[in-house]
Amino acid sequence: MLLDLKPLFAGSRNELSVEHEMDLSELSFLGVKPLRSPVAISGKIVSRAGIVESNLGCKVSYVGFCDRCLKETVLSYVVNINRTIVSSLENEENDDITVVPDMMLDLDDFCYADIVMSLPTKVLCKDDCRGLCSVCGKNLNEGDCGCSKSEVDPRLAALAELLKE
């Protein structure tokens, strides 16, 4: 979606409301496509005293698998994008400033990096997830499996003997 920011830079308008859905269903992250529903972008782009700023919220619904028990988990969160937008910038680099020389803002490109950088690298179905039994593979959130936890991995048996002494 292209937004014309010329009225904001010219001062003939103070704000521009934004309501947009961005389809990222084809985005592959850690081997899966976690953004099955569109990202809802809403907020305003405002001009105050000649400075144009974005105040946007991106509602993300991330579908992944718990890193401990492998249960499919949905995480919902909001990515806030508050950045200054300028038409030109001389000899300065700043990640909080976006330059739009033609005063046209591609909203999808503007929000894409922030959304991708916010994707979780660790997913848990709940904070106290007990995971899977290392012996039989049962989901321990559903109850104990009855496996003996005192068995020592044969590769570590020599270390276990040292601990006995």
Side-chain angles (χ1 to χ4, degrees):
M1 173 179 199
L2 276 177
L3 299 176
D4 185 3
L5 302 181
K6 291 174 192 152
L8 294 174
F9 282 109
S12 61
R13 193 167 177 187
N14 291 336
E15 70 179 38
L16 178 65
S17 293
V18 176
E19 294 292 331
H20 177 62
E21 286 190 346
M22 184 174 167
D23 182 21
L24 292 173
S25 60
E26 292 302 313
L27 175 73
S28 181
F29 181 70
L30 299 175
V32 295
K33 294 182 179 179
L35 303 177
R36 297 177 187 166
S37 58
V39 175
I41 302 168
S42 62
K44 296 178 182 178
I45 298 178
V46 297
S47 176
R48 290 190 193 108
I51 298 173
V52 178
E53 293 181 330
S54 68
N55 298 312
L56 302 174
C58 304
K59 293 180 185 175
V60 178
S61 181
Y62 179 93
V63 180
F65 294 93
C66 178
D67 288 331
R68 292 184 187 160
C69 70
L70 303 177
K71 177 183 173 187
E72 187 172 82
T73 305
V74 177
L75 302 176
S76 296
Y77 58 94
V78 175
V79 178
N80 292 313
I81 303 175
N82 300 311
R83 206 175 298 145
T84 303
I85 303 169
V86 297
S87 59
S88 65
L89 189 63
E90 293 182 22
N91 302 326
E92 189 177 331
E93 285 189 26
N94 188 332
D95 290 338
D96 293 331
I97 297 175
T98 300
V99 180
V100 287
D102 58 354
M103 297 184 203
M104 297 296 285
L105 178 69
D106 185 336
L107 190 61
D108 290 350
D109 287 345
F110 184 69
C111 297
Y112 181 82
D114 288 83
I115 293 168
V116 171
M117 294 298 290
S118 77
L119 295 177
T121 55
K122 180 145 183 96
V123 176
L124 295 178
C125 61
K126 55 185 181 178
D127 289 337
D128 61 344
C129 177
R130 296 180 60 207
L132 301 175
C133 173
S134 60
V135 178
C136 69
K138 180 179 183 202
N139 186 342
L140 297 175
N141 295 314
E142 298 169 357
D144 269 341
C145 59
C147 293
S148 172
K149 305 293 186 223
S150 62
E151 289 184 30
V152 176
D153 186 328
R155 297 169 291 178
L156 301 174
L159 289 175
E161 292 298 320
L162 289 174
L163 292 175
K164 287 180 184 177
E165 294 175 4

